[in-house]
Amino acid sequence: MHTEPHQPLTPATRYGNPIHRPRPVQPHTILLPQDIPPGVDWVTLPNGVHTLAYTHPHPGPTPEPEPVRESIPRWAKTTALLAPTLGGGIAAAGLGISYAAPGVLAMAEALWATVALIAAGALAPLLLRTPRGRVGRGAGPVQHITQNITATGVFGRATGTLNNR
């Protein structure tokens, strides 16, 4: 453990220490009104004493402040950058639809033709079994039609025979 060298404490005299010595009294200087520097003025303190103090200068007409340039928010920048992209995407979609329209119309017509073919296939047996001619003559002979279709491969050409008995 480290210890400092010991010095005995001696009682100090009242003014023996230079820190506690009173300052010599200097005579007050008298300031004339023309000697008061700018920014200093006579003021009255709350206890009624008049004294000199620094004061704020009274401002004259204040110049208009320059307009503060506000920064653009991040969401506005993002929206501004996405707008042309979104518009370009919509334009490309419209162009694609305009090129695809004839094909879509052709597919719609093919779909209607398929629906008509299915309907005709479903109604054909009903139409073939109805009596031919007027009432009282009886039904005509029943015809049997046999059809054989063969095709090779997925996209091969189909061939077939039709037997009417």
Side-chain angles (χ1 to χ4, degrees):
M1 186 158 142
H2 182 275
T3 59
E4 300 270 338
H6 178 56
Q7 292 181 339
L9 295 174
T10 58
T13 59
R14 182 173 171 120
Y15 296 112
N17 192 346
I19 294 175
H20 296 292
R21 251 185 240 146
R23 290 184 167 178
V25 177
Q26 295 184 2
H28 293 290
T29 55
I30 299 174
L31 286 175
L32 298 173
Q34 62 267 19
D35 293 336
I36 298 175
V40 177
D41 200 4
W42 287 100
V43 295
T44 305
L45 298 176
N47 62 2
V49 176
H50 294 293
T51 184
L52 289 172
Y54 289 103
T55 59
H56 297 288
H58 296 292
T62 58
E64 291 188 25
E66 293 183 24
V68 178
R69 188 170 162 231
E70 296 179 13
S71 64
I72 299 172
R74 178 174 281 169
W75 65 266
K77 290 179 184 178
T78 304
T79 304
L81 291 173
L82 286 177
T85 306
L86 184 63
I90 292 172
L95 184 66
I97 290 172
S98 70
Y99 279 123
V104 171
L105 292 175
M107 288 189 327
E109 290 180 15
L111 182 64
W112 281 115
T114 305
V115 168
L117 182 65
I118 292 171
L123 294 177
L126 297 175
L127 295 175
L128 291 176
R129 293 180 189 231
T130 58
R132 295 182 189 222
R134 299 196 173 158
V135 178
R137 287 180 59 190
V142 176
Q143 293 184 347
H144 295 286
I145 299 174
T146 307
Q147 187 176 12
N148 296 322
I149 300 174
T150 58
T152 57
V154 177
F155 296 106
R157 189 170 196 184
T159 59
T161 59
L162 184 64
N163 299 322
N164 189 358
R165 293 185 209 167

